[in-house]
Amino acid sequence: MRPPLRVAGTVTPPGDKSISHRALLLAALADGPSRIRHILPSADVQATAGALRALGVAVPPLSPDFVVEGRGAAALRTPAHPLDCANSGTTARLLAGVLAALPGVEARLEGDASLSRRPMRRVTTPLAEMGAQLWFEGAAGHDGLPLRLRGAPLRPLAFDSPHASAQVKSALLLAGVVAGVEVTVTEPERSRDHTERMLAARGVRVRVEGRTVRLPAGERLRPCDTDVPGDPSSAMFLAALAALATEGELILEGVALNPTRTGGFDLLRRMGADVTVLGERDAGGEPVGTLRVRPGPLRAIDARGADIPRAIDELPMLACLAARAEGTTVIRDAQELRVKESDRIRAVVANLRAVGVDAEELPDGLVVTGGAHPLAGTVVTHGDHRLAMAFGVLAALPGNAIASGGPGWVAVSYPGFWGELGRVTGGTATPLAVAPAPSSASELPVVVEYPLEGPITIRRSRTVVLPSTSASNREESSP
Ligand code: S3P
């Protein structure tokens, strides 16, 4: 029996991160005004906006409704300083494709510690085959950021990608559009197809045949307005909370239901949650709809093959759900998880074990045996927003006592996450005790409380308080 938790309410998840990046980039490359509504104003998307501004594009401050006056790719200029991609792999990889194709422009891409560890060779190898001029500027043998690119005329490319990666595919398509050359990319499994859809909406005759995308030479990009739909990857955390509750339901409005992105909801349904699409419409070439999620008795699943790219960003949450499902869940073919904002296979397994779950690492996935016993312990988020939210959902369940590091990382994709978690549980979610990251062990830990309204409060505490009872939640405030 689960301890009672009621969820209620309607949530409009923030704008889709992938579509937000692409809306900015494509607006910058087109010649004319593109209006962007409901962009995700998160740290990752700010990184793309900042880089475009440094390249000379007039990107206004991100707001719910603004216009980018694009002047075409040829108007982009060598930036006065390195382009800071922060934590954002999409910024770094998509920009690499654009910059490689801009003769006369030279730029250095930099990122934070997590992004700098992530592999860039998957993008630079095919770009170099097109004739791109680029250099890794880190330690010898390091194939991540910092990366310097000097734009050059590019050749056509036919690339058989070893990775099902939308970032790789998109970087090459953008390089092809800007350079005006033919590009064909074949993937082992289809990755998210927002770039293809958004190029088509802008008049580019991109063709998709099975796992192959073909961009003809000499295509022109028209300006186009975008109304960014809600991010299904962000919605997944609240859907999971609703699935784990004991009563009530959540309505998730305006969620992007692109079939290359809805694998997480399908797997949640396969686990036994009641996930229903209440209405679906087309918004600028992307299906968008409302979801209703109700609790259900959860059972283990086996996820692999084509399941994986459609649910890649949802797998940390699904692994946490598996900890509360009956039976043993197996996730395979998910080696891409090792090169996300953290090594999500290693980190999820270590964190599940740290709170008392039977979990095991596989080279390409993980095995999690579910149970109903209370979970207690401290998890490490490694600066990874999706780990912060996945374990934040487990931590919110009554009876669990999970302390976590780095709640602020949610700002990368879902700045309002903690507030929504509090709102939909009527303030009854267990407050999250926040442990300091190992690197800042000398700092006092902080305790975060989910408010019903307004900003979350974070207070320093002399002890990490595991919030099993309200009495043990008293914090000692310190300056
Ligand atoms: C993204 C593609 C995916 C995804 C990332 C966003 C994109 O990465 O994990 O969060 O916007 O293209 P890969 O392309 O590496 O699979």
Side-chain angles (χ1 to χ4, degrees):
M1 273 291 285
R2 302 177 196 171
L5 176 66
R6 180 180 168 73
V7 289
T10 299
V11 178
T12 306
D16 186 74
K17 186 155 76 67
S18 294
I19 296 177
S20 295
H21 285 295
R22 288 160 174 79
L24 284 174
L25 284 162
L26 295 173
L29 297 175
D31 198 353
S34 296
R35 182 173 177 190
I36 304 177
R37 297 177 67 225
H38 304 124
I39 197 167
L40 170 70
S42 78
D44 266 22
V45 180
Q46 296 285 2
T48 292
L52 290 172
R53 288 185 195 115
L55 288 162
V57 183
V59 179
L62 302 187
S63 69
D65 191 348
F66 63 95
V67 172
V68 176
E69 296 284 348
R71 289 186 293 127
L76 270 58
R77 294 282 166 261
T78 294
H81 53 77
L83 302 177
D84 182 5
C85 304
N87 192 250
S88 174
T90 308
T91 307
R93 293 187 176 131
L94 271 56
L95 265 182
V98 171
L99 292 167
L102 290 173
V105 175
E106 184 167 337
R108 177 178 149 111
L109 296 177
E110 295 181 351
D112 70 6
S114 151
L115 179 58
S116 301
R117 278 194 296 271
R118 297 177 66 186
M120 286 295 286
R121 211 179 283 286
R122 52 182 49 204
V123 178
T124 59
T125 299
L127 284 176
E129 211 177 300
M130 295 177 82
Q133 295 184 14
L134 37 84
W135 303 265
F136 289 110
E137 294 196 329
H142 175 68
D143 79 339
L145 301 186
L147 172 70
R148 180 172 295 280
L149 294 113
R150 187 178 297 145
L154 299 183
R155 298 185 284 271
L157 175 77
F159 184 59
D160 206 349
S161 175
H163 311 285
S165 163
Q167 292 176 354
V168 172
K169 175 177 62 180
S170 304
L172 301 176
L173 291 174
L174 290 177
V177 170
V178 174
V181 298
E182 182 175 342
V183 167
T184 304
V185 183
T186 301
E187 302 184 277
E189 299 279 356
R190 280 201 79 188
S191 63
R192 64 190 63 190
D193 65 358
H194 304 299
T195 302
E196 296 89 309
R197 288 172 187 256
M198 293 175 78
L199 284 174
R202 286 154 181 77
V204 174
R205 290 169 302 158
V206 61
R207 290 250 310 275
V208 179
E209 289 151 23
R211 292 175 289 106
T212 299
V213 182
R214 207 179 304 280
L215 168 86
E219 288 299 290
R220 253 182 79 81
L221 191 65
R222 288 199 303 255
C224 180
D225 297 346
T226 307
D227 191 349
V228 182
D231 195 323
S233 302
S234 298
M236 180 69 188
F237 296 106
L238 294 164
L241 180 75
L244 288 163
T246 50
E247 41 173 337
E249 63 179 33
L250 283 186
I251 303 293
L252 302 168
E253 257 181 8
V255 184
L257 295 177
N258 177 321
T260 61
R261 296 290 301 283
T262 48
F265 299 130
D266 292 343
L267 293 173
L268 186 56
R269 223 178 258 123
R270 226 193 272 169
M271 290 182 103
D274 177 353
V275 184
T276 308
V277 178
L278 296 180
E280 201 173 316
R281 64 190 156 88
D282 177 87
E286 291 277 355
V288 177
T290 298
L291 292 177
R292 186 192 64 205
V293 188
R294 291 178 172 159
L298 300 182
R299 53 181 177 268
I301 53 165
D302 188 317
R304 62 182 73 205
D307 291 334
I308 301 302
R310 297 180 59 240
I312 191 73
D313 290 340
E314 290 69 74
L315 294 175
M317 187 67 254
L318 285 159
C320 288
L321 279 157
R324 302 279 81 176
E326 196 185 328
T328 298
T329 290
V330 180
I331 298 175
R332 301 296 306 254
D333 304 322
Q335 56 280 0
E336 278 295 303
L337 288 181
R338 293 206 181 271
V339 291
K340 295 295 179 187
E341 286 82 333
S342 67
D343 175 343
R344 287 183 176 159
I345 294 179
R346 175 149 299 179
V348 166
V349 168
N351 283 331
L352 285 173
R353 284 188 179 167
V355 299
V357 178
D358 179 0
E360 197 189 311
E361 216 180 297
L362 301 173
D364 64 343
L366 38 88
V367 179
V368 180
T369 300
H373 60 287
L375 304 178
T378 299
V379 299
V380 182
T381 56
H382 301 281
D384 185 333
H385 55 134
R386 300 206 197 278
L387 295 190
M389 289 185 274
F391 284 91
V393 168
L394 271 192
L397 302 180
N400 290 348
I402 298 176
S404 156
W409 283 103
V410 303
V412 160
S413 61
Y414 198 164
F417 175 71
W418 300 115
E420 291 288 45
L421 192 52
R423 192 173 64 81
V424 300
T425 54
T428 63
T430 307
L432 179 68
V434 180
S439 59
S440 57
S442 59
E443 281 178 24
L444 288 174
V446 295
V447 172
V448 178
E449 284 191 355
Y450 318 121
L452 285 176
E453 284 177 1
I456 57 168
T457 42
I458 302 181
R459 274 171 284 180
R460 298 245 168 239
S461 165
R462 292 194 191 287
T463 51
V464 176
V465 184
L466 295 181
S468 49
T469 67
S470 55
S472 67
N473 276 340
R474 273 197 317 267
E475 306 112 352
E476 291 177 48
S477 292
S478 75

